[in-house]
Amino acid sequence: MSVTTTPPELRKAMEDGSEAGILEEELHQYRRYRWLSDEPEKLAVRYRKFNLDALLDVVVKTAGGGARSCIKVLKCIEGQFNKAFLMTMDNGAEVLAKIPNPNVGSTFYTTASEVATQNFVREVLNFPVPRIHAYSLDPHNPLVDLETKLASVSFQSHGCIYYKDDLETKGVRAQSLGATYNSIGNPSKELDPLHVAKFALGPLSQAVLWQGERATMALERGPWQSAVDYMVAMGMNEIQWAKTYAAPQINYCRPVDTPELPEEYISLLERYIILVPHLVPIFPEELHSKTLCHQDLHLDNIFVDPDTKKITNIIDWQSTAVSEIFFGHGVPAMLPPPGGYKSTPEPMPEGFRRGTCSGEIDDILSRYQNLTRIKNPLRWAAINHLHKSILQPVSLVSGAWSRNDVFSFRHALITIAAHWQDIYPDSTACPISFTDQELWLHNEEMELLEELGTIALT
């Protein structure tokens, strides 16, 4: 038991940087966004009841340094899958507590992989992970250096990092990391075997592979030796789920007498699996190297010391996976690119100073591009690959039916088929095709969606 006798002050962080007082029930609720449809269900899967007193006990003990009580609980800006609380002790110490929502999928795999990944990047790569509470968009922050450090180690398979012991307690076979420094790192240097030995590669922990009926299904969740094996597995998983659970559903962007049928979805998935082996060869061999990549670099996850203007911590490693370089995200969310990446970034002028407003954003983006091109050339090659968009079906395939977004998945496949000769000018015909009826229905749906988008903007 903690020594706490007076309840802590309960607050929540607001979007404008201020705070507001809240009741205890709001700690458990999701309050950031609203939905136009199915809102009760969406709020329910983001509601997490927990024992606040028990959490306070654990946090006070964790804080150490003579802490006797927690005097303030600040609910951080909410993400989709977790609740985070910055908890202040009576001795000034701060502890960040993070609790997954029900929609996170498998609590075990999600938490175990996140903990192991964070400790791996801290202990093996000397990466900054948690704790400070200010941030900045100063262009001199070494974001590129941190991304490059992640990319400096290659692994033998595609999957998530765990502690070996955690996988063994679950009866899951642990696969060796096979981690080595690559050309971006220091090939002549070896990773510390004492640090690496306790880690292993295991299944992906992404929520979509563990939610609802999928939680109890014998799906293929990895790890995999090749990108094709991974991509095919995602399609086979969906076919297995669709054959068992999918039922005809109303598509409000189609005629009333033309519902979406599971057979249509399965047909798309089968064509996806036929297409997959043809997608990977377009990327050069060096981009097949498997590395860690943080997919969610936005301002809520990057903490900066307000005095030194240096990045001190990067958080939210949940569902971070080891994957081929060409699967990596584009520009970090904190640096939205106007019009995408420039193919040839302009050199930085001497005495570079950041500008203001839109000019400041352009300066920061330009600096990020230049440094990435120089320090992390494989990442630069991947995010600028002419046909990177052909991977879109891979990002959409898992759970497309469940989230009512078969349209986007189908559209990605149709787009590839329509531009096949541009992608592979010396090849034969595209291995997949669509009937006139399929294309007509898809175009009808697209026109209605575009009209709805226009109405929403007016």
Side-chain angles (χ1 to χ4, degrees):
M1 290 290 292
S2 73
V3 186
T4 301
T5 54
T6 303
E9 180 184 13
L10 305 181
R11 311 278 293 176
K12 69 175 179 181
M14 308 298 288
E15 298 283 352
D16 62 3
S18 63
E19 297 179 11
I22 57 175
L23 299 175
E24 182 176 337
E25 177 60 16
E26 193 168 335
L27 296 177
H28 312 294
Q29 298 171 336
Y30 181 87
R31 302 289 292 272
R32 187 174 187 182
Y33 295 125
R34 302 292 304 272
W35 285 268
L36 294 175
S37 63
D38 302 323
E39 184 173 67
E41 292 84 355
K42 291 182 171 73
L43 291 176
V45 298
R46 291 165 177 81
Y47 180 89
R48 173 64 77 185
K49 187 74 174 178
F50 59 89
N51 187 322
L52 179 59
D53 290 336
L55 178 62
L56 293 173
D57 285 341
V58 172
V59 167
V60 171
K61 292 173 184 175
T62 300
R68 293 172 59 82
S69 66
C70 175
I71 61 174
K72 177 182 175 183
V73 176
L74 176 67
K75 185 179 184 182
C76 302
I77 299 293
E78 292 181 290
Q80 290 289 331
F81 297 104
N82 303 278
K83 302 187 191 307
F85 307 97
L86 187 62
M87 310 180 78
T88 305
M89 307 299 113
D90 57 351
N91 64 348
E94 292 178 325
V95 175
L96 185 66
K98 182 176 177 182
I99 299 176
N101 291 332
N103 65 338
V104 78
S106 168
T107 302
F108 172 84
Y109 287 108
T110 300
T111 304
S113 179
E114 181 176 16
V115 169
T117 301
Q118 260 188 223
N119 285 336
F120 177 85
V121 298
R122 185 187 71 235
E123 297 173 12
V124 178
L125 300 181
N126 296 317
F127 218 76
V129 288
R131 237 181 78 181
I132 214 176
H133 54 283
Y135 54 81
S136 167
L137 254 184
D138 191 293
H140 297 288
N141 280 323
L143 181 59
V144 172
D145 290 339
L146 297 178
E147 288 186 321
T148 302
K149 184 177 285 190
L150 281 182
S152 70
V153 175
S154 295
F155 301 80
Q156 69 177 14
S157 299
H158 184 134
C160 284
I161 296 176
Y162 296 85
Y163 281 115
K164 284 183 180 178
D165 291 346
D166 286 337
L167 290 178
E168 290 171 1
T169 62
K170 201 71 174 176
V172 177
R173 182 178 62 85
Q175 186 175 117
S176 171
L177 287 181
T180 57
Y181 281 113
N182 53 39
S183 59
I184 295 178
N186 186 350
S188 63
K189 182 181 175 183
E190 291 187 1
L191 293 168
D192 188 336
L194 294 178
H195 283 152
V196 174
K198 58 190 173 185
F199 298 102
L201 283 171
L204 294 182
S205 61
Q206 275 86 341
V208 69
L209 296 177
W210 298 93
Q211 290 172 331
E213 302 95 347
R214 293 173 176 81
T216 57
M217 296 180 68
L219 302 180
E220 176 54 63
R221 300 180 177 94
W224 301 272
Q225 295 292 321
S226 74
V228 171
D229 290 344
Y230 155 69
M231 294 157 75
V232 168
M234 295 300 99
M236 294 301 297
N237 286 345
E238 274 302 290
I239 289 177
Q240 183 180 343
W241 177 86
K243 287 182 175 180
T244 307
Y245 295 104
Q249 61 184 11
I250 297 297
N251 183 335
Y252 296 102
C253 294
R254 282 186 177 184
V256 178
D257 59 349
T258 314
E260 280 185 329
L261 301 175
E263 293 77 13
E264 297 176 53
Y265 184 45
I266 292 170
S267 176
L268 289 175
L269 293 168
E270 290 171 342
R271 277 174 277 188
Y272 162 84
I273 290 173
I274 292 171
L275 185 65
V276 157
H278 300 272
L279 301 183
V280 173
I282 200 169
F283 296 98
E285 187 61 33
E286 60 267 23
L287 298 187
H288 289 238
S289 178
K290 302 171 184 66
T291 64
L292 273 171
C293 182
H294 195 302
Q295 301 279 3
D296 202 18
L297 290 176
H298 56 74
L299 290 178
D300 290 342
N301 289 338
I302 300 175
F303 297 105
V304 175
D305 187 304
D307 298 320
T308 65
K309 303 297 188 292
K310 300 295 183 182
I311 292 176
T312 57
N313 286 293
I314 293 179
I315 64 169
D316 198 0
W317 296 83
Q318 194 172 81
S319 298
T320 297
V322 171
S323 64
E324 287 74 9
I325 293 174
F326 56 74
F327 282 124
H329 63 79
V331 64
M334 63 180 288
L335 298 173
Y341 275 90
K342 303 172 186 176
S343 57
T344 307
E346 299 176 4
M348 299 301 297
E350 262 186 64
F352 166 77
R353 302 281 297 179
R354 63 192 181 111
T356 58
C357 302
S358 61
E360 177 180 345
I361 293 296
D362 290 342
D363 287 343
I364 295 169
L365 175 62
S366 179
R367 181 174 177 81
Y368 174 85
Q369 291 173 321
N370 277 276
L371 290 176
T372 298
R373 178 175 57 84
I374 295 168
K375 296 186 175 184
N376 199 351
L378 293 183
R379 171 164 164 70
W380 177 255
I383 58 184
N384 284 282
H385 194 282
L386 181 62
H387 297 300
K388 184 174 174 62
S389 61
I390 67 171
L391 295 175
Q392 196 169 25
V394 185
S395 65
L396 295 169
V397 63
S398 295
W401 184 277
S402 301
R403 65 176 180 269
N404 297 309
D405 194 23
V406 176
F407 171 84
S408 295
F409 177 56
R410 186 193 318 113
H411 189 74
L413 294 176
I414 290 175
T415 300
I416 291 175
H419 293 89
W420 189 254
Q421 290 304 315
D422 297 326
I423 300 169
Y424 286 110
D426 300 325
S427 74
T428 57
C430 180
I432 65 171
S433 61
F434 294 84
T435 66
D436 291 342
Q437 176 68 7
E438 286 178 311
L439 294 175
W440 179 81
L441 282 173
H442 183 78
N443 287 332
E444 288 286 301
E445 190 173 345
M446 182 164 59
E447 287 179 8
L448 183 52
L449 286 170
E450 289 174 347
E451 290 175 9
L452 291 173
T454 302
I455 292 172
L457 291 173
T458 58

